Amino acid sequence: MSEGAKKKEEKPRKFQAIRGTRDLLPPETALWNRVEQTAHEVFGIYGFGEIRTPILEQTELFARAVGGETDVVAKEMYSFVVADSTRLIAWKDFVAGTRRIRDLDELDIYERSLSYLSRAVREAVKAEYLPDDGETQSLLSRMNGTMLVTAAALARGRKSGVSAEFEELDKQIEDAAIAAASIKFGEEISLRPEATASVCRAYIEHNMQQLPQPVKLYYMGPMFRRERPQKGRYRQFYQIGAEILGGPDAPAIDAELIEMLMTFFDKCGLQGTELSINSIGHAADNCRRGYVAKLRAELEKVKDKLGADSQRRIETNPLRVLDSKLEHEQAIIATLPHIADHLCDECKTHYAAVKHELELRGVIYRENWRLVRGLDYYMRTTFEITAQGLGSQNAVCGGGRYDGLVELLGGPPTKGIGFAIGEDRLILSLQESGKGAAPQGRDVYIAWMGERAYATAIRAAKDLRNAGLRVELPPTELKFGKALERASKLGSRFALILGDNEVQSGEWTLKNLATSEQQKLTEQALLEYLHGL
Ligand code: HAM
């Protein structure tokens, strides 16, 4: 290898943020803070309290709540098994993956792995990290059974040098493989793809049904979905969401939640918002189930004309066909039956009342019969909000009612409704419409020269900062010309010039960097002057 190539190789690797994730930098972060502050204020006014849930939850929670067949759970979750020992997992995988052995050395390795695995299971039981129940005992005895015969076969083989009886072990080895595969070492956990499931889990875990109902909670933070990244779609993205749990399912609750959301968007200055609503009824034969059956039958008739995704969804979730954005499917979808015509009387009444309640609040909406949402827990009211400047990923918020969810997660029957705003998209839309944050300048840049002036400069910086001014104090001495140049580059409004003269006379020089005007002020007068601006 040439010297040059060697040098190149030795150069430390440069790291980049993982695909679909990104750094948020100033001044943009100031806008994020403003948006989040607005959420704290608006949601607080409506009686919501903040909840912070962990980013990691058991995979099973999302599978149950969001639905194992949904794209979010089936394709997009970051899931992993956390175990105390990776070696243990390796033995388990080795035994679970071995079905036949035709070689003595291989049999030797296998027999040892099985014995390690069996011992590890016994230790895991002792440490109470595997249950000491009939199932574990049966696993152990199956593995031990295999161990006995393989150990005996190994001993015989080694002694005689012949190894004719391998086939006789196949059944035993297969049995141990099946047993090993079913051992659950460690926990399956996932990075949260959304937070509604976590909030419901927390509601149950903390017995919040004993609080005055409904309980109104909001949250903000990162979510994770392994989607194909594009503008407005990230693998780590941020949501600001709110959930109302417990109490009645009065349509006024749906409407007030939506009113709060629109007020929030308004206060943020979001432009071109459009609210779409729908009702997807409830899971009963005389309501959504009946409609889905009808929809499926209609879709079967036009199956050949649909794309592969939609064809698959006829079986798994025909409602999601309505979500399709494929150009050639639009005309077909337009002819499909509408859910509004198949709602039961209660759901129909509820939907009509939600619309009435929205009108009472002056909330403008558009009905969209195709709005079905991609998560399984919804029933009755669903809604989505789009905003301008976002391209194809233009939904800034989605939400809906999910009355059965708390019960599905092992809690008491509880009504629920909520929404989540895509904060990245909200910020993007604000930036596109010129509502981005201005770079953060400084109020005062302190240009100092000389040791005595430095001591005064430190004191001045402290006093000015205490008065709430944004102050930059250069850490090393700079010539005044250079210092003033830096002050301008940082967008400072004033430069406070401190040299020997100023320190001696007690009269400080303040330069307005926009007008270049200079004035001499005593320390006290300067503080008062800057404070009064
Ligand atoms: P969702 O529709 O999956 O609903 O997500 C809500 C919002 O999060 C979307 O409208 C979008 O703005 C944003 N979002 C989703 N995925 C991404 C992504 N990959 N990149 C950027 N933004 C994204 C839920 O999550 C439900 N938990 C909402 C809810 C709360 N329903 C009831 N309560």
Side-chain angles (χ1 to χ4, degrees), residues 194-196 219 225 227 232-234 237 239 242-243 373 375 377-378 395-400 402 418-422 425:
E194 61 106 56
T196 310
Y219 52 85
R225 295 185 194 174
E227 295 190 84
R233 189 159 75 191
Y234 309 98
F237 61 100
Q239 282 188 345
E243 316 288 348
R373 313 267 309 126
L375 317 174
Y377 49 61
Y378 291 114
V396 275
C397 175
Y402 49 83
F419 64 76
I421 296 160
R425 295 185 190 174

Side-chain angles (χ1 to χ4, degrees), residues 394-429:
N394 65 348
V396 275
C397 175
R401 188 161 270 292
Y402 49 83
D403 289 351
L405 183 54
V406 169
E407 208 174 345
L408 186 70
L409 297 176
T414 309
K415 311 285 183 201
I417 183 166
F419 64 76
I421 296 160
E423 195 178 354
D424 307 74
R425 295 185 190 174
L426 169 57
I427 298 283
L428 211 57
S429 181

Side-chain angles (χ1 to χ4, degrees), residues 45-90:
I45 285 168
Y46 278 83
F48 284 71
E50 186 183 0
I51 180 169
R52 299 187 188 196
T53 62
I55 280 167
L56 290 165
E57 298 269 6
Q58 283 177 16
T59 303
E60 179 66 15
L61 173 70
F62 300 116
R64 273 249 211 120
V66 176
E69 291 290 319
T70 58
D71 284 354
V72 170
V73 171
K75 299 187 196 157
E76 298 165 4
M77 275 215 297
Y78 287 93
S79 303
F80 33 93
V81 178
V82 193
D84 284 356
S85 157
T86 44
R87 265 204 316 173
L88 229 145
I89 301 271

Side-chain angles (χ1 to χ4, degrees), residues 108-154:
D108 190 9
I109 296 170
Y110 176 82
E111 199 270 334
R112 266 187 287 155
S113 299
L114 191 56
S115 118
Y116 290 142
L117 182 63
S118 160
R119 194 182 328 145
V121 170
R122 275 179 275 128
E123 276 166 14
V125 170
K126 237 191 261 160
E128 290 183 11
Y129 124 75
L130 267 185
D132 188 6
D133 58 9
E135 211 174 305
T136 312
Q137 290 312 324
S138 139
L139 285 180
L140 270 173
S141 78
R142 284 163 72 188
M143 291 197 298
N144 287 345
T146 305
M147 217 153 58
L148 282 177
V149 288
T150 48
L154 188 65

Side-chain angles (χ1 to χ4, degrees), residues 286-305:
N286 66 342
C287 202
R288 185 171 64 233
R289 259 207 303 266
Y291 170 70
V292 169
K294 185 152 188 186
L295 186 64
R296 187 174 276 135
E298 291 301 313
L299 285 168
E300 283 294 349
K301 290 185 202 161
V302 291
K303 189 171 178 175
D304 296 347
K305 297 191 195 123

